[in-house]
Amino acid sequence: MTLASDSPHIGLPSKPGFRTRLMRLIARPGFQRWASAFPLTRRTAAKDGAELFDLVQGFVKSQVLFALVELRVMHRLMDGPLSAEMLAQTCGMRSDRMERLMMAASAMKLTKRDRTGRYRLARLGAAMVGVPGLDDMIRHHSAFYRDLNDPVALLRDEVDTELSAFWPYVFGAAHATDMDTANRYSDLMARSQQIVAADTLSVADLKQTRHLLDVGGGYGVFAESAALKHPNLQATVFDLPAVETQAVALMQKSKVQDRLRFVPGSFRDDALPEKADTISLIRVLYDHEDQTVEALLSKVFDSLPERGSLLISEPMSGGAKPEIAGDVYFSFYCLAMNTGTVRSAARIAEMCTSAGFYSVKTYPVRRPFVTTTLMAKKSS
């Protein structure tokens, strides 16, 4: 049998290159046994083995973390060290089971066990208490875990996911009329938005901005943060009508309430509010498919004055160099949402350029697991 092809290489076996032959050698069990014993390779073999085991046990660590958060263990240790017996009484479980949980927490460097057998917070555990919204996000992961129960079925689009029901707003205003669902989403986003706002405003230059329009701004956390940092900045939050009551109530309590306002609407269906010289999209694009993003970027371009700015900040893919937060966690989270995807900064810059923007600048990334920031300019 012959294979017809425009290329003489297609359909014909190719000789494996050096890299392929090396990987095949490493994959042999006999080689692994040899590498583990040979003095020049056993350190690398041990390191590879530890990293592989960490991947294998990753799901157990996530569930231990969930239990610690659900039982508020780190919060209980804020007042000082406690024994497993004392924690068990408070949390309603057997002391031997609590001991097991606390040993795991110490192995994960969230707590430390002292000489008396009591447990105290470690630096990482204390930092976890201090991150806004982290506990809520970990609790929210219970739905994500269920969606990932059969990852192959999820990849084949054979799963009716819970997360797609939790985030109906991404499918348009018609899907987000339920006040409870809209506010549940906005509550979760607002609690984690503070750290995103801090990282974004630490690099993005808004000194020349007079009027900021934050599209999809929820309760106005980013808009308020920008107004607090820049005394001459006015900020408008544009989001779905279901969010308005709670957003306005929170804005009225702000120190900069006179420079904040909320305009209800959907960027899919409605015109964007006018007069802004900078428009921000904070954790917006990765919720949506390319067609929706392209339409939004074109709408933003048309709404901005000449020399106006577009600010984008959200978790991103590493692109040619895959990155652990964007290309694992956020990538599969978007998959479970049944819409959207993480994009690399280069891909987003390309989409901005196609919409008419120029001079797209990506800022150095301090914490890619929080956000990556870029700005684009509209030129005359």
Side-chain angles (χ1 to χ4, degrees), residues 358-380:
Y358 89 112
S359 183
V360 183
K361 178 180 179 181
T362 302
Y363 292 90
V365 182
R366 185 172 68 170
R367 295 184 289 190
F369 54 89
V370 174
T371 197
T372 298
T373 301
L374 61 81
M375 291 192 76
K377 291 285 187 179
K378 179 176 179 177
S379 172
S380 58

Side-chain angles (χ1 to χ4, degrees), residues 40 46 66 73 85 96 98 103 127 133 139 154 162-163 174 198 202 243 255 267 297 303 305 323 335 340 342 368:
L40 296 181
F66 185 90
V73 169
E85 290 78 10
D96 63 316
M98 180 56 74
M103 289 290 285
R139 288 192 182 94
L154 178 64
E162 291 187 41
L163 288 186
S202 70
V243 180
K255 295 179 181 179
F267 68 72
L297 292 176
S303 298
E323 190 274 322
L335 187 64
V342 288

Side-chain angles (χ1 to χ4, degrees), residues 279-299:
I279 294 179
S280 56
L281 301 171
I282 311 298
R283 295 198 295 182
V284 171
L285 300 187
Y286 75 143
D287 283 346
H288 301 281
E289 303 295 344
D290 281 0
Q291 185 176 3
T292 302
V293 171
E294 289 164 356
L296 173 57
L297 292 176
S298 293
K299 183 177 283 191

Side-chain angles (χ1 to χ4, degrees), residues 296-324:
L296 173 57
L297 292 176
S298 293
K299 183 177 283 191
V300 168
F301 181 85
D302 292 340
S303 298
L304 283 170
E306 298 302 330
R307 301 184 179 84
S309 299
L310 166 63
L311 169 63
I312 297 172
S313 186
E314 63 182 39
M316 297 183 190
S317 162
K321 297 181 178 179
E323 190 274 322
I324 194 72

Side-chain angles (χ1 to χ4, degrees), residues 158-203:
E158 298 171 351
V159 178
D160 186 12
T161 64
E162 291 187 41
L163 288 186
S164 63
F166 190 86
W167 309 116
Y169 77 99
V170 298
F171 300 104
H175 297 264
T177 56
D178 178 68
M179 295 288 290
D180 290 339
T181 301
N183 285 319
R184 186 162 47 118
Y185 155 71
S186 295
D187 284 341
L188 182 60
M189 293 296 286
R191 282 190 285 272
S192 58
Q193 192 81 323
Q194 295 174 20
I195 191 170
V196 176
D199 276 21
T200 302
L201 293 171
S202 70
V203 294

